[in-house]
Amino acid sequence: MEKQLLSRLTLQDTHIVETIAKLQRRISERFPDSGLQHLCGELLEVGRSASQRSQEIGRPIRRIRFASYLLLAGLIGSLVVLIFSIAQPATTDLSSDDMKLPNLIAMADSSSQVMLLLSAGIYFLISLETRLKRRRALTAIHELRSICHIIDMHQLTKDPERVLSNFRGTDNSPRQTMTPLELNRYLDYCSEMLSLTGKIAALYVKNFDDSASVAAVSEVEQLSTGLSRKIWQKIMILNQSVGTTTPTRNPNPQ
């Protein structure tokens, strides 16, 4: 029962990919062969690759782990040798030259230096694995940040006042051929794509609890939320301008 609950509360990469694929089909039906449709297709490919890349980031790097275990075994062996060397004089003739106190001190000093080097090597390998995974995660998250800005560029000139009958543009004004309904759907599709971009970013820290990566994901989510809020302000202005109410989301919008 607990496993089923945890499974339902875990972000599923397959569901995200399916949602993006469905969104692309909806966009293609409403705006066939449009730039937004192609951008959603690229987002779909990014989502599919994110599913695989996030799993790879979550898995341990076996070569580094194996080297760490070897160093750990060497550290434990050095500790055993040091303890045995200190305890041996209790059952050995202390008059022997090999068991004199200066020799014991020198042996303990050399053993401690070896243990220190082994400990430093273990720490380096553990931090190396984290750094490698972090670099891969941050590179992928930066790609999603760029996608957010590209989505924002697609809706940048989609202003609500351009669909009004009394709007007069200039020679350099962007051409507006959408109806109010089409503009409403276009803006809503952009908002959904931004939301899904944030969900893709969250995949990279699902199995990788790294503070720097989590902070980068939070930045992408804040960016996508802020841009989506700006889009919904446009939608509200559009609905007020054409005398309709703000649309509510339904499970199967078209």
Side-chain angles (χ1 to χ4, degrees):
M1 183 65 180
E2 183 178 356
K3 292 183 178 179
Q4 295 178 353
L5 179 60
L6 291 176
S7 177
R8 291 197 299 268
L9 296 178
T10 302
L11 192 63
Q12 300 294 332
D13 50 358
T14 55
H15 293 171
I16 296 176
V17 172
E18 291 174 359
T19 303
I20 299 175
K22 185 176 181 179
L23 176 60
Q24 185 189 23
R25 293 193 297 269
R26 289 164 51 202
I27 296 176
S28 63
E29 292 172 356
R30 182 77 66 175
F31 306 103
D33 200 29
S34 62
L36 190 65
Q37 175 194 348
H38 296 310
L39 179 59
C40 191
E42 294 179 5
L43 182 63
L44 177 60
E45 294 300 322
V46 170
R48 288 170 176 166
S49 63
S51 175
Q52 179 180 359
R53 291 160 72 180
S54 62
Q55 293 177 5
E56 293 176 353
I57 292 175
R59 288 195 292 263
I61 303 178
R62 299 187 181 277
R63 288 176 295 181
I64 296 180
R65 292 289 180 91
F66 180 72
S68 300
Y69 294 150
L70 287 180
L71 291 180
L72 180 61
L75 177 63
I76 295 175
S78 299
L79 181 61
V80 171
V81 170
L82 178 61
I83 294 176
F84 179 77
S85 300
I86 295 176
Q88 190 178 13
T91 59
T92 308
D93 186 8
L94 293 179
S95 61
S96 175
D97 293 337
D98 294 336
M99 293 295 108
K100 289 182 179 180
L101 183 60
N103 293 333
L104 290 176
I105 295 177
M107 183 180 298
D109 182 64
S110 61
S111 299
S112 62
Q113 291 180 5
V114 172
M115 292 172 60
L116 182 61
L117 290 175
L118 291 175
S119 300
I122 294 173
Y123 175 79
F124 171 77
L125 290 176
I126 294 176
S127 61
L128 176 63
E129 180 179 5
T130 302
R131 291 197 304 271
L132 291 175
K133 291 182 176 181
R134 179 186 300 159
R135 184 174 62 183
R136 296 171 60 185
L138 292 180
T139 300
I141 294 171
H142 177 72
E143 182 182 43
L144 295 173
R145 187 183 295 110
S146 299
I147 291 178
C148 287
H149 288 292
I150 296 174
I151 296 173
D152 184 56
M153 288 295 296
H154 274 73
Q155 66 84 35
L156 190 62
T157 59
K158 305 299 187 294
D159 296 324
E161 66 271 11
R162 297 183 184 278
V163 300
L164 301 179
S165 58
N166 59 352
F167 175 77
R168 295 293 180 269
T170 64
D171 294 337
N172 295 318
S173 296
R175 294 183 59 187
Q176 179 60 269
T177 59
M178 295 183 184
T179 65
L181 176 60
E182 290 175 337
L183 179 58
N184 187 301
R185 301 311 306 153
Y186 190 96
L187 293 174
D188 188 58
Y189 292 151
C190 291
S191 178
E192 290 186 45
M193 289 175 63
L194 286 169
S195 177
L196 289 169
T197 302
K199 301 301 181 292
I200 295 174
L203 289 177
Y204 288 103
V205 294
K206 184 176 68 172
N207 299 317
F208 180 49
D209 188 14
D210 176 65
S211 58
S213 301
V214 171
V217 170
S218 298
E219 291 177 0
V220 172
E221 291 177 336
Q222 292 175 5
L223 174 63
S224 62
T225 301
L227 295 176
S228 181
R229 186 180 298 114
K230 181 175 65 175
I231 292 174
W232 272 95
Q233 290 176 351
K234 287 186 176 182
I235 294 177
M236 294 177 63
I237 295 174
L238 174 64
N239 290 319
Q240 292 174 358
S241 300
V242 298
T244 60
T245 57
T246 302
T248 57
R249 292 185 181 271
N250 57 76
N252 299 298
Q254 297 295 326

